[in-house]
Amino acid sequence: MSTSALLSLLKTALPLIQAPMAGAQGSRLAAAVSQAGALGSLPAALLPPDALRAELQRLQATGLPYNVNFFCHTPPVSDPARDAAWRTRLSHRFDAEFGTDLRHAPGGAGRLPFSAEAAQLLAEFRPPVVSFHFGLPTPALLQSVKDWGAVVMSSATTVEEARWLQAHGADVVIAQGLEAGGHRGHFLDDDLTRQLGLMALLPQVVDAVTVPVVATGGIADARGVRAAMALGASGVQVGTAYLLCDEADTSAVHRRALAGPEAAHTALTNVFTGRPARGVLNRAMREMGPLADDAPRFPLATSALAPLRAEAEARDSGDFSPLWAGQAAGLARPKTAAALTRALAAGLA
């Protein structure tokens, strides 16, 4: 599928998408990217209804295309014994050092899947593009999004997932390579050995589906954009490089990690949320994982580490923070979103 087909769907000047990055950005970054001619994205997985409404109002006021992103995971069945064992392990290791009481840390899911309530709120704004992570919502919820004419995108980490997404209503497939920062988008199979690097995954997905394919994972400059387009991508999605932009809400400890030598070492970990996600290697990942068989199921692991993260960040440390980053993080540089978008677009020529 050609780039022109993607541009026709997105109604943008450039076939570039800013990846939605929950907890590190909001409408300010998304609007700046859209104003630069690409597609800005708003992550909604962590936003309660009032906050989501306020962010949508800001994006709607620009009059430009934008994307709203949701998770569509199935909430796990509560497992009190597993949760208690994990908190006890954390408590024994860190409470004395940090003065925390991790066994009794407040619980909570942290991230909610797309719901009928979210769909109803979205219908008031009719965002032109809605994207999903971890598959697609139920057919009824998906149809509610399509009813106002939204373009639907979702991530695939395997060829099988790409075919499934097309068959179940996705208008655009995002081929997510193993290099990508943040959560793996897998949903048919959680076996990480099945997930390919972008250069292997992308051409196979392009061959397997007839909808536009957007490449993401390990792309941070014009060279990566050029390589993805040469492999048949209709467009490119970039995340980590935007985390150092002026308009991002990236925390101080996260920015420092991305700008420092430690950004050269990222790893997949489940200790922060219960689901594999790529971030800069830090103490929590080294001492509790990186992949821990006993971590609570996604997204229940988030609350267990929250007090420890807060205490460490108060000491100006990112040792217990999810420092999400892709494998090309070392190429990221501080700049405005417009400047980065222009730099990426040079790879389209």
Side-chain angles (χ1 to χ4, degrees):
M1 186 67 72
S2 67
T3 294
S4 60
L6 178 67
L7 293 175
S8 178
L9 287 171
L10 302 183
K11 295 179 172 55
T12 57
L14 300 169
L16 299 175
I17 300 169
Q18 164 248 313
M21 297 171 288
Q25 57 113 161
S27 59
R28 189 163 61 111
L29 176 62
V33 172
S34 291
Q35 287 161 358
L39 186 70
S41 299
L42 174 70
L46 293 174
L47 296 178
D50 288 348
L52 177 57
R53 182 183 299 278
E55 293 282 59
L56 289 170
Q57 288 171 339
R58 296 184 187 103
L59 286 173
Q60 198 81 349
T62 68
L64 297 167
Y66 64 92
N67 167 45
V68 186
N69 175 260
F70 292 88
F71 288 173
C72 49
H73 58 284
T74 300
V77 175
S78 177
D79 188 341
R82 182 188 184 103
D83 186 64
W86 177 253
R87 288 168 183 266
T88 298
R89 184 181 169 202
L90 289 171
S91 178
H92 287 165
R93 197 169 193 101
F94 302 116
D95 275 352
E97 179 180 353
F98 289 92
T100 50
D101 182 10
L102 298 176
R103 282 178 300 178
H104 302 102
R111 292 165 174 81
L112 297 175
F114 189 61
S115 64
E117 292 74 20
Q120 185 175 6
L121 194 162
L122 277 191
E124 299 176 29
F125 297 89
R126 299 187 170 217
V129 183
V130 179
S131 65
F132 297 100
H133 216 43
F134 315 136
L136 291 169
T138 64
L141 283 176
L142 183 63
Q143 188 58 49
S144 71
V145 171
K146 285 180 166 283
D147 280 347
W148 71 71
V151 172
V152 171
M153 307 191 298
S154 189
S155 303
T157 64
T158 65
V159 173
E160 291 80 6
E161 288 180 343
R163 290 195 180 105
W164 188 97
L165 290 174
Q166 176 175 276
H168 289 79
D171 301 302
V172 177
V173 169
I174 301 169
Q176 185 194 40
L178 197 59
E179 306 95 327
H183 286 95
R184 309 300 86 207
H186 64 243
F187 59 94
L188 291 183
D189 192 321
D190 60 6
D191 181 356
L192 289 176
T193 67
R194 294 177 58 82
Q195 298 183 28
L196 305 177
L198 184 62
M199 289 192 68
L201 175 66
L202 176 58
Q204 294 185 66
V205 170
V206 169
D207 289 349
V209 300
T210 58
V211 298
V213 176
V214 170
T216 194
I219 302 171
D221 62 13
R223 293 171 295 181
V225 172
R226 192 172 297 115
M229 300 302 285
L231 288 172
S234 298
V236 170
Q237 178 173 279
V238 174
T240 304
Y242 278 106
L243 288 174
L244 285 181
C245 286
D246 301 346
E247 299 88 346
D249 301 322
T250 315
S251 70
V253 294
H254 198 170
R255 284 182 183 271
R256 188 166 62 242
L258 291 171
E262 57 265 51
H265 191 178
T266 66
L268 293 176
T269 184
N270 64 347
V271 301
F272 295 109
T273 68
R275 188 179 182 105
R278 184 175 297 281
V280 177
L281 189 72
N282 61 6
R283 182 178 172 187
M285 293 161 67
R286 287 192 301 269
E287 296 189 16
M288 299 301 294
L291 293 170
D293 291 338
D294 54 342
R297 300 300 183 195
F298 178 86
L300 300 178
T302 303
S303 59
L305 269 173
L308 192 55
R309 173 184 179 179
E311 180 61 31
E313 288 186 356
R315 303 182 187 189
D316 199 30
S317 168
D319 275 342
F320 298 92
S321 304
L323 307 173
W324 302 143
Q327 289 183 332
L331 297 174
R333 298 291 183 272
K335 58 184 66 175
T336 66
L340 174 57
T341 302
R342 288 194 298 270
L344 293 168
L348 299 169

